[in-house]
């Protein structure tokens, strides 16, 4: 399949091609790890033809590397985790997903149960277990997740100030359930969040530290989630709209040590005038109201901006992307974004900041049946350049 990669000149293109080569073999090795499970699944269902690993990962129509038949059989699927965000440092991990397609004929989404762990070079370690699916013919959607870890991050009290490193040893539980509103594509429902954190500084400047930089804190919240989604594909959309509005109220009455409200509004629109081009745009606004801990303040969320680099009480992020397909497998894309923070000085965070980013990337259609693309993005931010390994769309973590 690699000979079909569009030809580009220059040193950065060479870097891209090498990264994609290694990326392919990460996926191949991860898929090969579960071949015995696939073989057992075939034995349990004698009606399914017995296929070799090579057949499971090859498209019978074009002969290219393709995981559609492998993923479509359900069962255990390994998902390699590649972390490149500068806030955490380079890291690797592995998630094992169990995919159940039994409800799909009834209009339900595939049910995915996930168990994963990852670590980075800055000493961060994390693990999680979760389940996402739907019921009632697709009229009810739910998410349940438990996560924990010890994460080393950097905090910037004021934009341009000296960064302070801290460790957050946390345990988090999250539950969400949404019900379809009538016959529409709107879903509405409650959410519950339980977060216990132990914050410790990773520095000693010889001066007394503010209590908020060394504390144990409990945060319990009740909230709601409203979503709308008519995308033609949940992995790599070509047309459609994804929208969600959420709010969480952290209340002492629920046992929370903090008293504040966190809100988020997100929307992404995709439009393809023909089979070659896809134009897309996203906008996101986040904010906190009340006494929010510094590590809970939102930050600009764009490719090219490290996590938590530019925080504020009010944060706005927007990004535009143009994707050009070359045949049925390869595509290239370019993107540009803008982010802005504002602070009302109710927390440790002070000052305002604007960020402009831009970049380009490649995609390969890993599973044509599901419309799943994987690839690499190279983003140029205000301070540093960042390389991202992407499964599906780069905005997937914000779309429900």
């Amino acid at each position: 399949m690699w000979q079909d990669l569009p030809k580009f000149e220059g040193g950065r293109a060479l870097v891209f091609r090498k990264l994609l080569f290694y990326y392919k073999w990460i996926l191949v090795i991860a898929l090969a790890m579960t071949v015995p499970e696939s073989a057992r699944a075939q034995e349990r269902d004698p009606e399914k033809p017995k296929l070799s690993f090579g057949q499971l990962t090859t498209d019978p129509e074009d002969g290219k590397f393709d995981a559609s038949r492998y993923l479509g059989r359900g069962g255990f699927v390994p998902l390699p985790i590649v972390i490149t965000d500068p806030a955490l440092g380079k890291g690797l991990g592995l998630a094992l997903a169990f995919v159940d397609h039994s409800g799909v004929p009834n209009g339900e989404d595939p049910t995915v149960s996930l168990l994963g762990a990852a670590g980075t070079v800055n000493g961060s370690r994390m693990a999680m277990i979760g389940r996402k699916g739907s019921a009632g013919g697709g009229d009810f959607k739910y998410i349940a997740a438990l996560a924990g870890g010890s994460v080393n991050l950097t905090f910037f009290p004021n934009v341009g100030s000296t960064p302070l490193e801290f460790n957050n040893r946390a345990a988090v539980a999250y539950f969400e359930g949404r019900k379809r509103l009538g016959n529409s594509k709107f879903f509405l429902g409650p959410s519950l969040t339980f977060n216990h954190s132990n914050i410790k500084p990773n520095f000693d400047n010889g001066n007394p530290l503010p209590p908020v930089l060394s504390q144990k804190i409990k945060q319990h919240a009740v909230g709601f989630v409203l979503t709308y989604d008519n995308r033609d594909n949940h992995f790599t959309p070509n047309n459609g709209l994804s929208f969600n509005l959420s709010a969480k109220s952290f209340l002492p009455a629920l046992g929370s040590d903090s008293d504040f409200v966190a809100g988020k509004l997100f929307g992404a629109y995709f439009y393809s005038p023909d089979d070659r081009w896809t134009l897309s745009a996203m906008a996101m606004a986040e904010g906190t109201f009340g006494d929010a801990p510094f590590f809970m303040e939102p930050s600009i969320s764009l490719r090219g901006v490290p996590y938590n680099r530019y925080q504020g009480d009010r944060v706005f992020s927007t990004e535009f992307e143009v994707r050009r397909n070359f045949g049925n497998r390869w595509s290239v894309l370019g993107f540009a974004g803008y982010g802005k923070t504002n602070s009302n000085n109710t927390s440790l965070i002070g000052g305002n900041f604007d960020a402009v980013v831009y970049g380009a990337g490649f995609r390969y259609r890993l599973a044509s049946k599901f419309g799943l693309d994987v690839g690499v993005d190279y983003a140029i931010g205000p301070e540093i350049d960042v390389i991202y390994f992407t499964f599906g769309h780069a905005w997937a973590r914000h779309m429900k």
Side-chain angles (χ1 to χ4, degrees):
M1 68 180 187
W2 303 101
Q3 65 270 21
D4 297 330
L5 179 64
K7 301 300 187 294
F8 294 89
E9 302 299 330
R12 287 183 176 177
L14 180 61
V15 172
F16 270 130
R17 293 175 68 86
K18 288 183 177 180
L19 287 171
L20 284 168
F21 175 81
Y22 294 125
Y23 197 40
K24 168 196 172 181
W25 285 108
I26 289 174
L27 292 168
V28 169
I29 292 170
L31 289 172
M33 289 171 60
T34 60
V35 169
E37 172 60 30
S38 297
R40 288 192 294 270
Q42 291 171 355
E43 293 174 358
R44 290 192 295 266
D45 188 351
E47 295 183 1
K48 290 184 178 180
K50 294 184 178 181
L51 302 176
S52 67
F53 174 67
Q55 291 173 316
L56 286 172
T57 55
T58 301
D59 191 319
E61 295 183 5
D62 63 11
K64 306 299 182 183
F65 181 78
D66 189 290
S68 294
R69 289 199 286 187
Y70 183 91
L71 298 175
R73 302 180 74 87
F76 284 100
V77 178
L79 301 173
I81 301 171
V82 182
I83 301 172
T84 59
D85 193 304
L88 293 171
K90 296 179 177 63
L92 293 172
L94 180 66
L96 294 177
F98 184 83
V99 183
D100 181 5
H101 296 279
S102 61
V104 173
N106 300 323
E108 299 174 1
D109 299 332
T111 299
V112 180
S113 302
L114 190 71
L115 174 65
T120 72
V121 294
N122 80 347
S124 296
R125 300 290 183 267
M126 58 210 82
M128 67 89 65
I129 183 172
R131 185 178 177 90
K132 177 180 181 180
S134 62
D139 288 338
F140 177 75
K141 298 179 184 290
Y142 62 89
I143 298 174
L146 298 172
S150 176
V151 181
N152 296 311
L153 291 169
T154 302
F155 168 57
F156 296 82
N158 294 282
V159 174
S161 64
T162 301
L164 304 177
E165 296 181 353
F166 71 95
N167 173 266
N168 185 354
R169 187 178 295 273
V172 183
Y174 179 77
F175 307 94
E176 172 189 308
R178 291 172 282 137
K179 177 71 171 62
R180 186 190 301 273
L181 299 181
N183 295 321
S184 72
K185 294 184 180 294
F186 283 98
F187 285 77
L188 175 66
S191 70
L192 293 172
T193 303
F194 302 91
N195 181 6
H196 290 197
S197 294
N198 186 2
I199 305 298
K200 292 183 178 180
N202 284 341
F203 64 91
D204 182 7
N205 59 7
N207 299 317
L209 297 175
V212 294
L213 290 180
S214 182
Q215 63 174 321
K216 293 184 178 180
I217 185 170
K218 295 180 296 183
Q219 299 169 91
H220 302 163
V222 61
F224 76 88
V225 181
L226 173 67
T227 66
Y228 176 88
D229 188 1
N230 69 350
R231 288 172 292 161
D232 60 349
N233 183 296
H234 282 242
F235 293 110
T236 309
N238 298 304
N239 291 283
L241 171 68
S242 176
F243 158 88
N244 63 77
L245 171 66
S246 64
K248 300 177 185 179
S249 183
F250 294 82
L251 300 170
L254 298 176
S256 178
D257 294 328
S258 304
D259 187 359
F260 69 100
V261 174
K264 176 180 177 180
L265 174 63
F266 171 87
Y269 180 70
F270 303 86
Y271 171 68
S272 297
D274 55 41
D275 293 337
R276 297 174 301 168
W277 296 94
T278 298
L279 313 176
S280 53
M282 80 85 173
M284 179 168 58
E286 298 178 274
T288 57
F289 308 85
D291 186 22
F294 73 92
F295 57 90
M296 291 292 290
E297 299 282 14
S299 62
I300 292 176
S301 182
L302 297 172
R303 283 171 281 189
V305 176
Y307 176 72
N308 268 6
R309 176 59 184 94
Y310 307 116
Q311 292 179 273
D313 303 298
R314 312 288 184 269
V315 177
F316 175 75
S317 304
T318 187
E319 201 169 81
F320 301 89
E321 181 181 285
V322 178
R323 187 172 79 243
R324 173 64 158 87
N325 296 322
F326 292 88
N328 297 324
R329 290 290 173 183
W330 288 101
S331 61
V332 297
L333 59 87
F335 57 88
Y338 170 77
K340 182 177 179 60
T341 67
N342 286 290
S343 175
N344 57 18
N345 296 315
T346 60
S347 69
L348 288 179
I349 300 171
N352 307 321
F353 195 83
D354 298 87
V356 175
V357 302
Y358 59 94
F362 294 95
R363 294 291 184 272
Y364 178 78
R365 181 56 53 93
L366 176 68
S368 57
K369 180 180 178 180
F370 300 98
L372 172 60
D373 287 358
V374 297
V376 179
D377 289 336
Y378 189 97
I380 300 174
E383 298 174 310
I384 59 174
D385 298 355
V386 186
I387 294 175
Y388 297 93
F389 292 86
T390 304
F391 287 81
H393 200 278
W395 307 333
R397 67 185 182 277
H398 301 298
M399 297 187 283
K400 292 184 176 289

